[in-house]
Amino acid sequence: MSEYGTVLESGAVRFERLLPGPVERVWAYLAESGKRGTWLASGDFDLRVGGETKLLFKHSEITDEPPPERYREVNDKGFLATGTITRCEPPHALAFTWDGDGNPLSEVTFELSPRDGKVLLVLTHRKLADKAAMTNVSGGWHMHLGLLEDQLAGQTPRGFWSRQAKLESEYAALFASLPE
């Protein structure tokens, strides 16, 4: 299982992580604002199909590392991404639309399944507008999923901003052959 996201189709990327379980515990880190806020973004989710999602990305709440200048405002003030739940099957599947930061509407799906005493998390982000969006989103998911792994393993969270530029360039190289 690769740590890097893989391209499924134009505008879609998938990540897989084998995490400490059980499934219900990993689900809580997806569904509950306080737990989700330790690795991704806090915010209320109305956990039903058609329910609203709010993700307040304020990176200063998940890392002590200073951000690159171009991310300083997001780091300090945050930004809100909203959406609508399109699939909710606790504790195995959660999908929602993603509307934020001026990008076209996309869709995120988390699927959880038991695997050899652990939990396989499959994250798929679809309907990304172009190669630049896929590159940006992939680096972000890669960093955030690393923080989720650390939270679930009870480890000190790995670096966030210190990894950002390297991952962004690695995904740009991985996706270089994709059409614009």
Side-chain angles (χ1 to χ4, degrees):
M1 176 180 325
S2 172
E3 194 170 296
Y4 288 88
T6 57
V7 176
L8 296 178
E9 60 209 36
S10 179
V13 65
R14 172 175 287 170
F15 293 85
E16 294 183 4
R17 294 291 187 274
L18 201 53
L19 303 169
V23 169
E24 293 79 10
R25 179 172 176 241
V26 178
W27 173 264
Y29 275 84
L30 302 178
E32 297 174 18
S33 176
K35 288 183 175 155
R36 189 177 352 91
T38 65
W39 69 276
L40 180 65
S42 60
D44 292 330
F45 277 24
D46 181 0
L47 291 172
R48 61 181 178 80
V49 173
E52 183 180 39
T53 64
K54 293 181 183 175
L55 289 166
L56 178 59
F57 285 87
K58 191 170 182 186
H59 293 88
S60 61
E61 294 179 355
I62 60 172
T63 183
D64 292 332
E65 293 182 335
E69 190 55 42
R70 69 182 176 134
Y71 291 109
R72 185 163 308 285
E73 189 170 334
V74 169
N75 185 78
D76 298 343
K77 294 181 183 176
F79 80 91
L80 182 66
T82 59
T84 303
I85 293 180
T86 57
R87 182 176 172 199
C88 188
E89 300 165 14
H92 298 286
L94 179 63
F96 51 92
T97 60
W98 184 298
D99 184 18
D101 205 25
N103 294 311
L105 199 66
S106 60
E107 185 173 51
V108 174
T109 302
F110 292 99
E111 295 171 300
L112 304 174
S113 56
R115 172 82 52 94
D116 300 325
K118 295 192 175 192
V119 177
L120 177 64
L121 177 144
V122 177
L123 181 158
T124 307
H125 198 144
R126 283 192 159 83
K127 300 180 184 176
L128 295 163
D130 53 29
K131 184 166 58 174
M134 285 181 65
T135 300
N136 182 47
V137 162
S138 294
W141 279 123
H142 192 120
M143 288 186 296
H144 284 288
L145 289 171
L147 295 177
L148 175 60
E149 288 177 275
D150 295 339
Q151 288 294 328
L152 291 167
Q155 299 174 349
T156 302
R158 63 191 77 182
F160 187 83
W161 294 119
S162 60
R163 299 170 56 228
Q164 184 269 331
K166 182 177 186 285
L167 283 168
E168 190 172 272
S169 67
E170 288 173 352
Y171 277 102
L174 282 170
F175 298 163
S177 64
L178 297 176
E180 293 296 326

